[in-house]
Each structure stands twice: as structure tokens, then as C-alpha cells.
Amino acid sequence: MLARTRFAVVLRRTGQFQRTASRALSGSPCLYNLPTDKNAQQPTSSEGETPKRKPLSRIAIGGTTNHSQRNSGGSIEFATWKMAALLLTLGGTLYYFFAKEKRRLEIEKEAEANRGYGKPLVGGPFKLVDFNGNEFTEENLKGKFSIIYFGFSHCPDICPDELDKLSVWLDKLKQKGIELQPIFITCDPARDPPHVLKEYLSEFHSDLIGLTGDYNAVKHACKQYRVYFSTPPSLKPGQDYLVDHSIFFYLMDPEGQFIDALGRQYDEKTGVEKIQEHVKAFVPKEQREKRKHKWYSFLFN
């Protein structure tokens, strides 16, 4: 009798456990609570249509959508080419600037070396008269760039060719906003008085200024500019002759100092370029002196 009672109690407890477990599983929201009936009714919207499932997001939980995720590979490649083009343009601009500045410094150093230290190696005091009879000295060279040529009016070919070339330089430089004071100094004062020079130079360029004087004054001016000239000895009155002389254009800065000599190797194009470089690179003496005490003075030595 006692055994039957115990068995009944065990059965009742076992039934209670099964009912409790069944209720717990039926009310749990876990993934294992899947419907077993294939014909079970699906949830519908208010209009009676079955809602579509949303596609799974590729964005990590807690992440945000960025521009690179939205753009295609082609857009990224295009942006890369744009950056490369920008870098090439910037690099080319910097190279051009530094190359141009380097060239300017070279020209400035060249002019400074030609000026010399103390007394200039080329140029100096002189006293002549122009083709209008007015006195002309080294002081008339100050305040503007000047270019000086030594020749004579009876020269058959070289002087006319060089003066034609000078005329082209003057016109082209004017177009660039650069004006020079062109000066012609005769090496043959005996046959080149003022009126002869005026008529001779009028055939080339209206800006040309002719200078002459007595033999000693002309010889002194030629010596100041290191110009070689000579006339044949034992000349008879009225005898025709040629004068041998140096063939250079002497470029002078606005302070009346020599900065460069342009020989026959400069043509109508290269001569303009050379003069233009010197004009743009010119620095007044006062500024040059101040720069010597600056930390970057080594750049100009």
C-alpha cells in the first residue's frame, strides 16, 4: 500500500514538471520557438498584404555610412587622377619659379662681377659733345640704362650692320616696356664732327645720340671703356682710310656703371633677351650694400 502511494506521488510530480516546461517553452521568444504548422497564418499589414523582408545591411552594428562606401571604384580612380594632375601642376609651377629665380641671381652676380670693386674695370669719367653741340659726360648716363657703341661714320660694313641690329633691339625692348639710351661714340673725330654724326645716325634710329670731341678727348673715352682703335700712320690730307676698333655694345646700369659687353655673337633675338635679363635683375647699389650684412648674403657672392 505504501509503495503504491509513493508511485502515485511521483507520477503527479512528473506531470506537473512536463506541464511547467511546456508552458515555459511556449511562451519563450527564443529562436527555437518556431512554428511547426506549415499552414500557420503569416502576419499581414493593415491592407492585407504580406510585408516584404528588408535586405540585410552590410554596415557593421554601430557603424556609419561613409562616402567611400557609396562611391564606386571608378569614382575613386578619378579622384586619384585629379590629385596626380594637381601635384604635377604644382610641381611644374614651383620648378619654373625656382629656375627663373636662379637665372636672375646668376645674371645679377655676373653684373656685379663686371662692375668690379672700387673703380670700375670698364667705364669712367669722360667729357665729349653730342651732335647738337651740348656737353656730354658720364653723369648723363645716370638715371637710365644706356648702351654704348664705338665706331665711325665711314665704316663700310661692320658699323652699319651693328647699328641696324641695335635699332631692332631698341624697338623690341620698347615693346616690352624697356627703354635704353643708345649712344654712338666716334673713333674718328677728324672726319666725324657733330653735324656729320647727326646726319649719319639719322639713317638708323631716332633715339641714337652721337658723341665726338677732339682727338685726346675721344682717345681718353676709348681708354676708359678699354676700347682699342687705331688709324693708319702718315695720312695725307683728304686721304681715305679705315679705323680698326673693338666691336662691342657696352651696357650701363642707371648708376652709370658697366654691367655687360655684348659682342657680335648676339643676334637680334638673343641680344634682346640678354638686355632684358639684366634690366630685370638690376638692384640699386644701396640695396646691394644692405644685403651684404644679411644672413642670406651668401646667395649673392
Side-chain angles (χ1 to χ4, degrees):
M1 184 70 182
L2 180 60
R4 292 178 180 176
T5 303
R6 290 178 177 176
F7 182 73
V9 170
V10 170
L11 290 175
R12 286 197 296 273
R13 290 179 177 177
T14 302
Q16 291 176 357
F17 175 77
Q18 291 176 347
R19 289 193 296 271
T20 302
S22 177
R23 286 195 298 269
L25 289 173
S26 63
S28 174
C30 69
L31 295 177
Y32 296 101
N33 187 23
L34 299 175
T36 58
D37 188 0
K38 294 181 179 180
N39 298 323
Q41 185 178 1
Q42 297 294 333
T44 60
S45 63
S46 59
E47 297 179 357
E49 297 179 356
T50 302
K52 296 181 180 179
R53 292 183 179 181
K54 296 181 178 180
L56 295 177
S57 174
R58 295 175 181 266
I59 303 174
I61 297 176
T64 59
T65 305
N66 54 40
H67 184 70
S68 62
Q69 289 173 331
R70 291 196 300 268
N71 284 347
S72 64
S75 299
I76 296 176
E77 183 178 357
F78 179 68
T80 303
W81 277 108
K82 285 172 62 178
M83 180 59 69
L86 177 62
L87 291 176
L88 287 174
T89 303
L90 180 60
T93 303
L94 291 175
Y95 175 81
Y96 172 78
F97 172 78
F98 285 115
K100 186 176 181 180
E101 185 63 15
K102 180 182 177 181
R103 178 59 180 168
R104 190 192 68 81
L105 289 176
E106 290 175 352
I107 293 295
E108 186 178 339
K109 290 179 181 179
E110 179 184 346
E112 186 67 15
N114 289 336
R115 290 187 185 98
Y117 299 93
K119 183 179 179 180
L121 297 176
V122 177
F126 64 87
K127 183 182 292 187
L128 298 171
V129 294
D130 64 19
F131 50 33
N132 293 317
N134 301 316
E135 184 180 83
F136 195 104
T137 70
E138 74 282 355
E139 293 297 321
N140 295 95
L141 301 178
K142 297 181 179 179
K144 66 199 77 174
F145 283 92
S146 301
I147 188 164
I148 303 174
Y149 181 78
F150 291 80
F152 63 108
S153 64
H154 286 70
C155 182
D157 46 22
I158 294 178
C159 289
D161 290 343
E162 294 299 285
L163 290 177
D164 282 335
K165 183 171 64 177
L166 176 59
S167 299
V168 174
W169 290 356
L170 296 174
D171 291 335
K172 287 186 175 181
L173 288 168
K174 276 188 178 181
Q175 295 174 2
K176 299 176 180 292
I178 300 174
E179 292 198 20
L180 300 182
Q181 177 178 232
I183 299 169
F184 179 92
I185 300 179
T186 182
C187 297
D188 186 17
R191 295 184 297 179
D192 287 339
H195 70 278
V196 172
L197 281 182
K198 190 168 187 177
E199 181 180 357
Y200 175 69
L201 296 177
S202 64
E203 300 177 3
F204 298 99
H205 200 281
S206 59
D207 292 343
L208 275 166
I209 301 172
L211 302 183
T212 186
D214 60 36
Y215 180 83
N216 289 330
V218 169
K219 183 178 179 180
H220 174 74
C222 290
K223 184 177 179 180
Q224 293 289 73
Y225 283 85
R226 309 299 188 263
V227 173
Y228 162 80
F229 81 101
S230 67
T231 57
S234 305
L235 288 173
K236 297 179 181 179
Q239 181 182 351
D240 193 16
Y241 58 90
L242 296 178
V243 178
D244 188 17
H245 62 90
S246 304
I247 306 171
F248 288 101
F249 289 99
Y250 297 89
L251 185 62
M252 313 297 290
D253 68 17
E255 295 169 347
Q257 293 187 333
F258 167 76
I259 52 178
D260 203 357
L262 283 69
R264 301 188 70 184
Q265 73 273 21
Y266 288 96
D267 57 21
E268 295 179 354
K269 179 181 179 182
T270 56
V272 171
E273 294 172 350
K274 187 68 171 180
I275 294 172
Q276 185 179 13
E277 286 180 335
H278 275 299
V279 171
K280 290 185 176 181
F282 172 71
V283 177
K285 183 178 180 180
E286 183 178 356
Q287 295 184 22
R288 298 197 304 268
E289 292 296 328
K290 288 182 179 180
R291 277 190 327 204
K292 292 180 180 179
H293 305 289
K294 302 294 184 180
W295 64 269
Y296 51 82
S297 59
F298 67 93
L299 294 173
F300 309 99
N301 296 328

